[in-house]
Amino acid sequence: MQLFIEIYGFLSVVLRGFILAAQSVSVGGLAFLLLLVWPLADALGPSGAVLERRALRLVFLSACGLVAAEALAAASLTLMLAGTLDIPVREAAEARAVAVDLMAALLGAVVALSAWRGRRGGVAIRSAAPVLAALLIGVQAGATHAVSQFEGALALAGAELLHMGGAAVWIGGIPYFLMALTDVADPRARAEIASRFSVMAAGAVAALLAGGLLMAAYYVGAPEALYGASYGVMLSAKIVLFLGLLFLGGLNFLAVRKLRNEPAGPLLRTRRFAETEIGVGLTVIFCAASLASLPPARDLPNDRASFAEIVDRLEPRLPVRLDSPDFEALSAALPAEATKDLPPGTQPRRAADIAWSEYNHHWAGLFVVAMGVMALLERMSRRLAPIMRHWPLVFIGLAGFLFLRADESVWPLGRLGLIESLRDPEIAQHRLLTLLIVAFGLFEWRVRLGRVTKWWAPYVFPISTATAAAFLLTHSHALTNLKEETLIEITHTPLALVGVAAGWSRWLELRLDGEAKKIAGFVWPVAFILAGLMLVFYREA
Amino acid sequence: MGLFRLVSLVACLALTGGGAEAHAIVLNSTPRPDAIVSGRELAIEIRFNSRIDAGRSHIKLFGREGAAVSLPLDESASEDMLKARATGLAPGSYRLHWQTLSPDGHISQGDIPFRVDR
């Protein structure tokens, strides 16, 4: 049961992320059809019909995804409650949150069905779209922090509505905007769509910001909670990502203005920035799901990390730990009887355990710095480029290090043999991960050498990096030691943010041309170096 | 957090991480953690930072032998509180394990260790 509880913790945050993403794309699509495609039908001509069909297809698919994710969320919460509380399944299924999930699934099914019929010529969706979109967002607001509050529940639910609605119309609308840029051939109609979408997005950003500010003021309470509590740290990460999105949106706004004066002008940058906006937008949505699983910072006035504690944890200190403590000094060397009565996760950590973990982080950081420096030199020095282009091979060095060092109880450090250790699922998972890192490094190396020529191969690296960074933000919170958890978030959240920057700048390097491509090509190696330095100076106490 | 836990997260294989997703947190409780109490009976009160669904919550008492007893919850408790009564307590170490559901669907749980001394 403990394993199920742990899996549920992670699964529920990821599911919430999928639900918010699917809901945003569904509602964003309905808003796009309602405010752009249908009113501009005459100006768009035949390409308008093509765009409508494609948009309805994406609305259908995202609504189906919403139905599946909501059903899974309802089922997993019901099972979790029935299993842990020893109550009948029916009683567990009567929980308010389960009802909200089921209602949202039902609404999702109605949206999917309407979109499906709309693709076959049905017009019911045209009048139903605003009601369905509002209901979807409204129902979802029924399962947020707001409903648990005693004070200001109504105002907070209203703020949630504005926030989620704004995110859906803006971020959820971008895939449809990209479709329009591809499908609409007439430059004047395309410029009109771009201009309208710009206005629509600006309104959505205003709504998102207004709702977000109201919630932040209530849930965070004091400026020092923005860095001293996990909720504040996650919110700060969300704000940084939001600023990144605004920057990309601003670039698009300028491109759209240019398009108005010169309708037949180039569209490449607008498309590429929009693609990146989708990626960063999805990361923000998953970050929001993670944020929703945390108690508001306002409720934790006594468990916050102070500014001095944060500076002490983050301040780079030399020398870094490149010498490992002896195995005999680690808790793993203790006989099993010494800790058998302690619940999982509560075993005390010795100073040597912390030193051992820091040693591992610092060495791993050196590998990551090496990759970033090599990738940077590849771009800066023609003489060194032929050697530096082999930087993905450093992944194999990192994997080798992790293979030897990751599990202290296994050979060559511990008493467990290699084969024997594979019976432990966690150790087996680590071994699998090591193999994945080797495969990933070799794959990217072959891509760089031009030995893998599939069109999708170069995108594996940026997508994996950006996804991994998003997952680093989307983790469950154990909350056994609130201050310690905040200090961990403070070290890990910046890693995730530079990961997002690295992934999407590499994407832009692949997708853009000219000067913009060159700039993006410098951003991601620098982000790698920063991530490596964070690991090199990582401290656990 | 160990390096491999971090790398596991980074590699999207994060199923090993964390505990149950949490939202409701304990503001105060009777007994307080690590309290020493006397008497054979104990009135238990756990107050949270937000509304909770007491119908989908529980308090379990773990005694010295490790066996758990589910304590019936007092239905008259306010919307942010779990109330129960433990009876027949002998001297020794005990642990209260609570689990609760917030109306927004978040499950949280925790332990309150205490001692009975006479």
Side-chain angles (χ1 to χ4, degrees):
Chain A
M1 181 47 80
Q2 189 58 36
L3 181 65
F4 179 57
I5 292 172
E6 285 181 7
I7 290 173
Y8 175 79
F10 176 68
L11 178 72
S12 58
V13 175
V14 174
L15 264 180
R16 197 52 52 193
F18 272 114
I19 286 169
L20 290 177
Q23 171 193 281
S24 295
V25 177
S26 298
V27 173
L30 293 176
F32 194 86
L33 285 162
L34 206 60
L35 300 173
L36 271 107
V37 180
W38 293 327
L40 293 177
D42 292 340
L44 295 175
S47 58
V50 176
L51 177 61
E52 184 190 14
R53 268 201 303 279
R54 283 188 73 200
L56 284 170
R57 184 164 181 263
L58 186 55
V59 171
F60 169 76
L61 290 174
S62 55
C64 287
L66 180 66
V67 173
E70 292 283 13
L72 198 54
S76 58
L77 179 57
T78 303
L79 281 178
M80 176 77 181
L81 290 172
T84 54
L85 300 175
D86 291 327
I87 56 174
V89 169
R90 192 178 160 184
E91 198 179 317
E94 284 169 1
R96 177 197 171 108
V98 176
V100 168
D101 284 333
L102 292 176
M103 217 182 297
L106 186 67
L107 273 169
V110 174
V111 172
L113 188 67
S114 308
W116 179 258
R117 294 182 70 164
R119 287 195 77 213
R120 291 165 173 257
V123 291
I125 193 165
R126 295 193 179 204
S127 46
V131 181
L132 288 173
L135 280 176
L136 263 183
I137 300 282
V139 165
Q140 213 57 255
T144 59
H145 273 124
V147 294
S148 301
Q149 303 301 311
F150 284 102
E151 294 166 21
L154 207 62
L156 287 167
E160 288 276 10
L161 271 173
L162 273 177
H163 197 62
M164 282 196 286
V169 173
W170 177 27
I171 298 168
I174 298 171
Y176 302 91
F177 176 53
L178 260 178
M179 274 180 196
L181 292 180
T182 314
D183 290 347
V184 178
D186 176 26
R188 289 200 178 280
R190 213 166 44 204
E192 176 64 22
I193 282 196
S195 175
R196 273 210 187 199
F197 184 72
S198 216
V199 174
M200 192 171 125
V205 169
L208 185 146
L209 204 57
L213 282 173
L214 187 71
M215 284 192 287
Y218 185 84
Y219 291 133
V220 176
E224 56 271 22
L226 261 182
Y227 56 81
S230 290
Y231 188 94
V233 175
M234 288 302 286
L235 180 61
S236 304
K238 214 176 144 201
I239 291 169
V240 171
L241 290 169
F242 174 73
L243 291 175
L245 269 182
L246 273 187
F247 174 71
L248 289 165
L251 291 175
N252 261 345
F253 179 77
L254 294 177
V256 164
R257 245 184 27 182
K258 212 170 160 188
L259 208 60
R260 206 181 302 152
N261 301 328
E262 192 192 338
L267 281 172
L268 185 78
R269 283 194 191 185
T270 313
R271 281 188 192 155
R272 301 307 176 236
F273 289 140
E275 289 166 6
T276 311
E277 270 187 271
I278 295 173
V280 180
L282 287 175
T283 312
V284 178
I285 285 171
F286 274 81
C287 186
S290 186
L291 191 65
S293 74
L294 281 166
R298 187 188 57 125
D299 293 334
L300 301 164
N302 303 320
D303 292 299
R304 289 179 194 159
S306 68
F307 188 68
E309 284 171 316
I310 290 168
V311 170
D312 183 62
R313 186 63 67 94
L314 291 179
E315 191 184 13
R317 269 187 215 154
L318 289 169
V320 295
R321 284 186 200 276
L322 299 177
D323 288 325
S324 167
D326 291 336
F327 174 71
E328 295 305 323
L330 303 177
S331 297
L334 289 172
E337 297 80 49
T339 54
K340 73 178 169 53
D341 292 331
L342 295 170
T346 61
Q347 284 88 347
R349 298 197 79 206
R350 296 171 164 195
D353 295 329
I354 291 169
W356 178 82
S357 175
E358 289 181 352
Y359 160 88
N360 282 349
H361 279 82
H362 295 175
W363 268 104
L366 290 177
F367 282 105
V368 179
V369 169
M371 283 188 246
V373 169
M374 286 177 78
L376 203 57
L377 286 175
E378 184 191 356
R379 281 154 180 74
M380 292 171 74
S381 163
R382 274 193 192 166
R383 195 167 57 84
L384 292 174
I387 301 167
M388 296 304 158
R389 67 202 284 244
H390 298 293
W391 68 263
L393 292 178
V394 180
F395 274 117
I396 297 169
L398 175 64
F401 173 76
L402 293 175
F403 179 80
L404 294 174
R405 302 291 316 181
D407 295 289
E408 68 272 41
S409 52
V410 183
W411 179 91
L413 293 172
R415 297 173 187 131
L416 272 177
L418 267 182
I419 304 295
E420 197 184 353
S421 71
L422 294 178
R423 287 184 200 150
D424 181 324
E426 194 171 331
I427 296 173
Q429 203 179 61
H430 290 170
R431 297 293 180 226
L432 178 68
L433 186 63
T434 310
L435 284 177
L436 276 177
I437 293 173
V438 171
F440 182 69
L442 283 175
F443 182 79
E444 180 62 15
W445 178 61
R446 286 173 62 81
V447 169
R448 303 258 167 178
L449 296 186
R451 290 183 194 161
V452 181
T453 52
K454 301 275 185 210
W455 69 267
W456 49 263
Y459 299 110
V460 170
F461 173 71
I463 294 287
S464 310
T465 308
T467 310
F471 269 81
L472 196 51
L473 290 170
T474 314
H475 55 269
S476 60
H477 304 273
L479 301 191
T480 45
N481 182 337
L482 296 161
K483 190 192 281 189
E484 194 47 43
E485 175 149 337
T486 303
L487 290 169
I488 290 171
E489 302 269 0
I490 284 278
T491 54
H492 287 61
T493 306
L495 263 178
L497 293 176
V498 292
V500 171
W504 290 108
S505 53
R506 171 65 182 154
W507 174 274
L508 283 175
E509 185 192 16
L510 289 169
R511 303 280 287 166
L512 281 170
D513 55 16
E515 196 62 23
K517 180 188 183 79
K518 216 170 165 182
I519 293 169
F522 277 100
V523 172
W524 72 262
V526 171
F528 252 61
I529 294 171
L530 282 175
L533 288 175
M534 285 176 202
L535 287 169
V536 166
F537 292 111
Y538 172 82
R539 281 214 309 281
E540 251 175 51
Chain B
M1 180 180 273
L3 174 65
F4 241 119
R5 189 148 150 224
L6 169 66
V7 180
S8 295
L9 278 162
V10 171
C12 315
L13 291 171
L15 291 180
T16 55
E21 176 179 328
H23 173 81
I25 49 167
V26 176
L27 291 185
N28 54 56
S29 67
T30 307
R32 297 188 65 77
D34 300 316
I36 298 172
V37 300
S38 56
R40 294 180 63 80
E41 290 201 1
L42 178 64
I44 298 158
E45 286 188 0
I46 306 174
R47 194 163 78 80
F48 296 91
N49 65 323
S50 61
R51 283 194 171 88
I52 52 155
D53 181 349
R56 287 158 195 88
S57 304
H58 73 194
I59 298 179
K60 281 185 178 177
L61 179 68
F62 288 83
R64 281 175 302 179
E65 310 301 321
V69 182
S70 258
L71 304 177
L73 295 176
D74 183 345
E75 289 177 9
S76 68
S78 58
E79 284 182 288
D80 59 346
M81 191 176 273
L82 291 179
K83 278 170 99 174
R85 179 169 286 275
T87 54
L89 295 172
S93 297
Y94 291 85
R95 178 167 60 93
L96 286 170
H97 177 79
W98 58 267
Q99 181 182 314
T100 193
L101 175 72
S102 298
D104 56 13
H106 294 122
I107 293 172
S108 33
Q109 54 178 336
D111 292 287
I112 302 171
F114 68 98
R115 270 185 66 78
V116 175
D117 214 350
R118 272 198 284 275

